[in-house]
């Protein structure tokens, strides 16, 4: 099982590290997520929405 990505990693770093093109990770409305947004924030927003 692969390790979970650190929550303080930014979206831009995550995309570069995993070989993804910029803009792969998107917001709910379909727009690109800011590259300086942290993975932990995305997880928190997802958890709050899907309670």
């Amino acid at each position: 099982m692969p390790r979970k990505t650190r929550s303080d990693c930014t979206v831009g770093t995550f995309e570069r590290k995993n070989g993804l093109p910029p803009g792969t990770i998107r917001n709910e409305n379909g727009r690109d997520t800011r590259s300086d947004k942290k993975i932990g924030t995305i997880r928190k927003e997802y958890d709050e929405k899907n309670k």
Side-chain angles (χ1 to χ4, degrees):
M1 183 172 168
R3 285 182 60 180
K4 193 172 182 182
T5 302
R6 289 176 52 133
S7 62
D8 63 344
C9 178
T10 61
V11 170
T13 303
F14 180 79
E15 289 175 337
R16 273 184 257 121
K17 184 176 77 169
N18 292 296
L20 301 170
T24 300
I25 300 176
R26 299 193 172 266
N27 291 324
E28 295 174 0
N29 61 5
R31 295 185 63 183
D32 295 353
T33 301
R34 290 177 40 164
S35 65
D36 63 342
K37 191 171 192 177
K38 296 190 185 294
I39 298 295
T41 305
I42 294 171
R43 286 183 187 143
K44 184 178 177 184
E45 291 171 353
Y46 180 82
D47 288 343
E48 288 175 356
K49 182 182 176 221
N50 294 313
K51 279 189 174 183

